[in-house]
Amino acid sequence: MSGQPYYITTAISYPNGKPHIGHAYEAIVTDAIARFHRLSGRDVFFQTGTDEHGLKMVQTARDKGIEVTSLSNEMSSLFREMCDLLEISYDRFIRTTEPAHHAASQALWNAMEASGDLYLGRYEGWYSVRDEAFYDDKELIEDPAGGEGKRLSPQGTPVEWTVEESWFFRLSKYEQPLLDHFSAHPEFIRPESRLNEVLRFVEGGLSDLSVSRTSFDWGVKVPGGGGHVMYVWVDALTNYLTGVGYPDNDVDYAKFWPADLHVIGKDIVRFHTVYWPAFLLSAGIALPKQVFGHGFLLARGGEKMSKSLGNVVDPVDLVELFGVDALRYFLLREVSFGSDGSYSPEAIVTRVNADLANNFGNLAQRSLSMIAKNCEGVVPNPGASTLAELQLFEAITAADKAASAAMHGLALNTALEAIWQGMSAANLYFAEQAAWTVRKTDPTRADTILYFTLEAVRRLAILASWAIPGGCAKILTLLGQPASPSFADLDIPINPGTPLPTPVGAFPRLELPA
């Protein structure tokens, strides 16, 4: 698998407001998966970015009294800054306002038109500006707070009756091909609950889809003129092709397409698993291998966070309070990937202090401090190993295997749980072997204990570096090791005699904010 290409994406974020913790969560989990595959030796291409067209952007800019291009530039920069702050290792941050993306979207449109799947008509129906989505009557729900007759989208957002000339995509044509694909590739939609939702939707019958608008002009122009701009989801979904060079860069396109994994929120699964594959089938383009619809990160009281509800949490504020490592570790460890999750300051402090400060960080700090004091600041020479060392590394090997299996199943929290079982084994070894006491009677055995403790810390830092890259890099530097490792380095033990820098704490204890 080493060197094999791997293409992973987040959904691109809609920047009509500042990033919130939900955006941060998606970026963090996708980054963790990308880092894991890089550590495994794969040639990873990781894309994220912003989806900057559509009616919501026009309305937001108008409300602010600014040009939509100014809003687009300002807000997109905030999403990029969030990614950089969270140590998101993206290879490309794409913007749908880029000329290359307009060209790719128009190329996809032309390919769908050449298949006979686009026709001009008149759209009359329900549209949700907030979702940038069209809905059939049968999909709408009654508004429990809005009085008789007022209806909402399936997401609970307002809808309005829209009438305008539109290009339509023959989505109905792809009902059976989609069902055939889902049957042949049940791994295409994960987790299984999302697959079941999509199956029910498609089996209920697909209507042709309106794919252009004439009521505004902020978007990718439909080829051939006529005053139409593409429906924002045609434009947005095409970003995954743009990023790997479609239609002109044959080298990157051939290398990375089809995408291995799209990581998206569960509220946009339909767009990615019904519309997107239908567009690709029409254009004669291979479908992505997998789409994973993760759950929501909920606010206090179990409420979904959204800009419209005004209950968003700024990830920059959380980083200032707790640090990047703490926020990354908590979200990856506490939220079961695919399910909804929640957080609180108390939960972050409790988990991070227990796992990072008291377990991992304390083990590294105590062992390194003993070496600085008793071994002249260099890695000691080990003597003969015993059953205790054999059992220690059996536990770490077991943690490695369990974590790898969990990551390949996209069970990120389970992978971290496995690694921290290895951490606990290393802490137990260090406590039971008690090098500080043994040194009084057997300095060689004490050096052996310290050496194998450092080697355990080194391996565990490599295993955990996809989750908390900053802290693990710090620990590896304190061990005199490269700060950017790979899993292949697990089998290259630390050299006795390696000079070590003055030990410092890698994971400070957290306090509850006032």
Side-chain angles (χ1 to χ4, degrees), residues 100-397:
H101 177 68
H102 283 237
S105 299
Q106 290 170 338
L108 181 70
W109 182 280
N110 288 333
M112 294 191 295
E113 187 173 37
S115 294
D117 289 336
L118 297 175
Y119 62 92
L120 197 60
R122 180 179 177 84
Y123 179 77
E124 295 188 28
W126 297 104
Y127 188 74
S128 167
V129 176
R130 193 179 299 171
D131 298 346
E132 296 284 9
F134 301 100
Y135 293 106
D136 289 334
D137 274 316
K138 64 184 179 181
E139 299 178 79
L140 301 183
I141 59 175
E142 294 294 330
D143 182 359
E148 186 176 354
K150 186 173 181 182
R151 293 188 290 176
L152 302 173
S153 77
Q155 309 298 332
T157 58
V159 293
E160 58 187 44
W161 188 259
T162 301
V163 179
E164 62 183 305
E165 183 184 68
S166 175
W167 283 95
F168 284 80
F169 172 73
R170 298 185 194 278
L171 184 63
S172 56
K173 172 182 172 182
Y174 292 94
E175 181 177 319
Q176 192 58 49
L178 287 172
L179 291 173
D180 292 342
H181 186 77
F182 301 154
S183 177
H185 302 279
E187 76 287 351
F188 176 65
I189 307 172
R190 304 299 300 163
E192 188 175 359
S193 58
R194 311 283 183 255
L195 172 61
N196 293 334
E197 292 168 8
V198 172
L199 280 173
R200 287 195 297 271
F201 176 74
V202 177
E203 288 169 348
L206 296 179
S207 302
D208 289 353
L209 181 68
S210 171
V211 289
S212 74
R213 304 298 303 274
T214 56
S215 55
F216 60 95
D217 62 359
W218 177 244
V220 178
K221 302 295 187 291
V222 169
H228 290 251
V229 296
M230 292 183 195
Y231 173 41
V232 67
W233 276 104
V234 178
D235 156 18
L237 291 162
T238 307
N239 93 88
Y240 306 126
L241 292 173
T242 308
V244 290
Y246 177 84
D248 299 321
N249 184 339
D250 294 337
V251 175
D252 287 346
Y253 179 72
K255 181 178 183 180
F256 289 111
W257 192 261
D260 291 88
L261 181 63
H262 294 320
V263 177
I264 62 166
K266 65 180 182 179
D267 55 336
I268 55 173
V269 167
R270 178 192 306 179
F271 302 99
H272 284 78
T273 60
V274 179
Y275 301 167
W276 181 225
F279 296 159
L280 294 173
L281 287 169
S282 173
I285 296 173
L287 274 56
K289 297 174 185 177
Q290 190 168 81
V291 178
F292 193 102
H294 63 76
F296 294 140
L297 196 61
L298 303 175
R300 289 182 184 271
E303 188 176 48
K304 179 189 173 185
M305 295 184 197
S306 73
K307 294 183 283 287
S308 58
L309 294 175
N311 63 352
V312 299
V313 175
D314 190 334
V316 175
D317 293 341
L318 290 179
V319 169
E320 290 177 353
L321 283 172
F322 303 117
V324 174
D325 285 327
L327 182 60
R328 285 180 62 108
Y329 181 77
F330 176 84
L331 293 176
L332 292 168
R333 179 67 179 82
E334 285 289 321
V335 180
S336 178
F337 191 44
S339 301
D340 291 344
S342 60
Y343 86 99
S344 69
E346 295 84 358
I348 294 175
V349 169
T350 299
R351 170 61 72 179
V352 169
N353 283 346
D355 289 5
L356 297 187
N358 297 346
N359 192 327
F360 192 14
N362 187 51
L363 177 63
Q365 177 77 359
R366 290 181 66 197
S367 56
L368 287 166
S369 295
M370 288 189 66
I371 289 171
K373 179 179 178 181
N374 299 290
C375 305
E376 299 180 345
V378 300
V379 176
N381 278 298
S385 59
T386 68
L387 179 61
E389 284 74 49
L390 176 63
Q391 291 174 334
L392 168 63
F393 287 102
E394 283 180 346
I396 293 175
T397 299

Side-chain angles (χ1 to χ4, degrees), residues 6-11 22-40 44-48 82-92 261-264 294 324-325 327-329 331-332 337 407 410 412 463-471 487:
Y6 185 83
Y7 180 26
I8 184 172
T9 78
T10 66
H23 297 115
Y25 173 68
E26 182 168 297
I28 288 168
V29 295
T30 311
D31 177 70
I33 298 166
R35 287 179 181 272
F36 174 84
H37 285 283
R38 286 197 195 98
L39 286 161
S40 302
V44 173
F45 187 79
F46 169 22
Q47 179 165 296
T48 189
M82 178 199 74
C83 288
D84 294 340
L85 176 67
L86 295 171
E87 300 178 6
I88 306 303
S89 60
Y90 58 86
D91 296 289
R92 180 164 183 184
L261 181 63
H262 294 320
V263 177
I264 62 166
H294 63 76
V324 174
D325 285 327
L327 182 60
R328 285 180 62 108
Y329 181 77
L331 293 176
L332 292 168
F337 191 44
M407 286 299 292
L410 296 178
L412 282 69
L463 291 177
S465 61
W466 54 267
I468 41 174
F487 288 147

